Amino acid sequence: MMGPAHSLSGAAAWLGVGAAAAALDHPMPWPVVVVGALICAGAALAPDLDQKSATISRAFGPLSHALCGVIDKLSTVVYNATRSHGERRRAGGHRTLTHTWPWAVFIGAGFSTAAVVWDRWAVLIILFIHMVLAVEGLLWRMARVSSDVLVWLLGATSAWILAEVLDQPGNGSHWLFTGEGQEYLWLGLPIVVGALVHNIGDALTISGCPILWPIPIAGKRWYPLGTPRFMRFRAGAWVEHKVLMPAFMVLGGVGSLVALGVVG
């Protein structure tokens, strides 16, 4: 799928998590619902770090473009080093390492650890990165025609305001993990969810997605999981814009109402 659909699916997924948490009698404070949805929307772009033409490669100018090049090379090395005998050698790493569940868990755990160890500054950086990505994904038309600096300023301002809100007692810094020193440990969860939702979205397209690597399937470690062939579509096709994105909006709206306790 393309960037906007990925981001929208990420936001909808977190709102669904919020609805599930409410149903399990562990509701999210409203700032966790909002912040988590935005982080998840941004994180749903992150697996495309292995592609220089992706939305995320433009998000932070030369820095993100260079990072995409590094991740592409790393993904290629990992793929070629771990491929099965029946899998052809590759010269590019798109839809390999960063499109797997271990990568999603690794990134989420890394950000959670950073939030716990470095506290407020790490939280601000995490929020800034994902707010910028959320803008690039959800407001992509406006982001494309505006200055990168304006998008970064919006991301920085949003990060600062949201961090201040979360810091208030009862607003979510201790949601889910209540132990001493575990503030913001939950921040890795929407990042993991966003990455996994991205992969599931790509599994709906023609190429499929090797989500379960390194578990071998049909003799292949990089087996591209997906729906039945007749149900798949090309990224950016009409089904993405006319069917999936409206569905994500409806599901996200319903999820938000349940998560926020508006409906039971």
Side-chain angles (χ1 to χ4, degrees):
M1 292 197 297
M2 305 300 285
H6 278 309
S7 282
L8 194 55
S9 69
W14 184 255
L15 295 172
V17 171
L24 294 172
D25 201 30
H26 197 85
M28 299 176 180
W30 72 264
V32 175
V33 176
V34 174
V35 173
L38 290 171
I39 291 176
C40 204
L45 295 180
D48 279 341
L49 271 170
D50 59 6
Q51 186 181 26
K52 288 185 178 181
S53 62
T55 300
I56 192 172
S57 73
R58 301 185 297 270
F60 300 96
L63 178 62
S64 54
H65 189 73
L67 179 60
C68 284
V70 172
I71 298 298
D72 178 27
K73 288 182 173 58
L74 172 64
S75 299
T76 303
V77 170
V78 172
Y79 171 87
N80 288 327
T82 61
R83 65 189 175 93
S84 301
H85 291 299
E87 295 174 304
R88 62 180 177 83
R89 192 173 184 83
R90 293 183 55 161
H94 183 46
R95 287 204 189 183
T96 55
L97 179 61
T98 61
H99 288 70
T100 64
W101 71 266
W103 178 270
V105 173
F106 171 75
I107 293 299
F111 277 118
S112 282
T113 301
V116 171
V117 174
W118 290 295
D119 198 35
R120 182 173 177 80
W121 284 110
V123 171
L124 285 171
I125 292 171
I126 293 168
L127 290 175
F128 169 69
I129 291 171
H130 292 90
M131 292 310 105
V132 170
L133 293 178
V135 171
E136 291 283 354
L138 298 175
L139 304 176
W140 66 278
R141 290 186 186 276
M142 288 179 277
R144 288 280 179 89
V145 299
S146 66
S147 165
D148 286 343
V149 175
L150 290 179
V151 174
W152 300 337
L153 286 174
L154 177 59
T157 303
S158 301
W160 188 271
I161 293 172
L162 293 172
E164 290 290 333
V165 172
L166 286 171
D167 274 344
Q168 299 303 311
N171 274 5
S173 61
H174 279 94
W175 178 74
L176 195 60
F177 301 99
T178 58
E180 183 67 28
Q182 294 181 350
E183 297 91 342
Y184 298 110
L185 186 59
W186 64 268
L187 281 179
L189 292 178
I191 295 171
V192 174
V193 172
L196 292 177
V197 168
H198 176 111
N199 297 341
I200 293 171
D202 279 352
L204 301 177
T205 63
I206 291 174
S207 300
C209 188
I211 304 172
L212 294 182
W213 175 86
I215 300 171
I217 301 174
K220 297 181 178 180
R221 282 205 177 92
W222 296 94
Y223 185 85
L225 288 176
T227 52
R229 289 286 178 180
F230 74 92
M231 296 177 61
R232 300 189 193 187
F233 57 88
R234 293 188 181 279
W238 66 269
V239 67
E240 186 174 321
H241 301 288
K242 303 295 185 181
V243 178
L244 292 181
M245 291 181 71
F248 295 150
M249 294 178 69
V250 171
L251 292 173
V254 173
S256 67
L257 294 176
V258 178
L260 294 171
V262 177
V263 297

